[in-house]
Amino acid sequence: MENKKLAALTFDDGPNTDTTPLVLEMLKKYNIPATFFLIGNNINEHSAAVAASAVQQGCELENHSLSHPAMSDMDVDAIRAEIAATDEKITAICGRTPEFFRPPYIAVAPHMYDCIDKTFICGVGADDWDPKVTVGERVERILAQVGDGTIILLHDMSGNTQTVSALDEIIPAMQGDGYEFVTVSELFKRKGKTPVRGEMYSIVK
């Protein structure tokens, strides 16, 4: 395990053709990768091309369900169908089956861990899905919570330009504090940890 401070930026609810490209531009500006937790129903011909460009930039694509339901209230067969359909769409883009899963609304129940063969990922967030949360508040909330090994939970949903603006403050502030940004899988690897199926992580130490 290394001593360098690491963090993983993650984005939920894409892909799309308006906000996701802006996030990718910001990542390119600072030469860092991120991990995108995709909603299967948001993947179409045009948004798939955006997701593919994210992979070309060194980003990872992971599973955030097909239709963004509260899966804790669903039966096993319905849950498995959501996961499998999204896996198929993501694999078609990047040639890799998602290893990680972020539950919609972070709503979990024991039977979800039994039927979803992935590591669950949460993270520290800023309620950035809410347009009433200002850019400054997003920046302050994230910077107040980060530590070595932190997974940061943000959203690249359509129209969420305030988070794009917040990134232009969060990223250089953290880099100035000695952080290196990595993907979620790289975070586990660099921390010498094996992701455990049936557990949910917000931090990897």
Side-chain angles (χ1 to χ4, degrees):
M1 195 171 91
E2 60 184 82
N3 294 322
K4 190 175 183 67
K5 291 194 293 187
L6 302 175
L9 274 172
T10 70
F11 298 93
D12 287 4
D13 296 355
N16 54 68
T17 58
D18 61 329
T19 305
T20 306
L22 297 178
V23 171
L24 291 175
E25 287 179 16
M26 198 62 65
L27 298 176
K28 187 178 292 186
K29 175 180 178 179
Y30 292 102
N31 193 31
I32 63 172
T35 303
F36 291 84
F37 286 84
L38 307 186
I39 295 175
N41 282 344
N42 285 347
I43 299 173
N44 55 45
E45 177 184 356
H46 302 293
S47 64
V50 175
S53 68
V55 176
Q56 292 170 358
Q57 279 186 218
C59 298
E60 290 177 350
L61 309 181
E62 303 296 345
N63 195 313
H64 192 41
S65 81
L66 182 68
S67 62
H68 205 274
M71 286 186 167
S72 54
D73 298 327
M74 296 170 60
D75 64 40
V76 167
D77 288 343
I79 290 171
R80 286 176 172 156
E82 286 265 342
I83 299 300
T86 305
D87 274 356
E88 183 177 352
K89 290 189 173 192
I90 293 174
T91 303
I93 295 171
C94 63
R96 166 187 169 273
T97 301
E99 177 183 1
F100 300 103
F101 171 67
R102 177 166 285 143
Y105 313 108
I106 314 299
V108 295
H111 70 288
M112 291 172 61
Y113 291 106
D114 293 335
C115 67
I116 299 174
D117 188 26
K118 300 185 187 298
T119 301
F120 286 42
I121 300 295
C122 187
V124 303
D127 294 330
D128 71 314
W129 47 266
D130 184 351
K132 295 190 295 293
V133 179
T134 67
V135 171
E137 288 170 334
R138 296 170 196 225
V139 173
E140 291 172 7
R141 291 178 186 183
I142 294 300
L143 294 182
Q145 296 178 83
V146 292
D148 182 30
T150 296
I151 298 165
I152 299 169
L153 194 168
L154 296 169
H155 295 77
D156 65 321
M157 61 194 184
S158 184
N160 195 18
T161 56
Q162 290 188 91
T163 284
V164 178
S165 298
L167 289 172
D168 210 12
E169 298 183 51
I170 292 168
I171 296 169
M174 290 183 62
Q175 287 179 328
D177 196 30
Y179 281 90
E180 178 184 349
F181 290 95
V182 294
T183 61
V184 170
S185 67
E186 186 71 9
L187 182 60
F188 279 94
K189 181 179 178 182
R190 295 271 295 272
K191 287 299 181 184
K193 299 294 183 181
T194 300
V196 177
R197 305 295 170 96
E199 290 193 16
M200 183 154 63
Y201 297 82
S202 290
I203 189 166
V204 180
K205 288 188 174 181

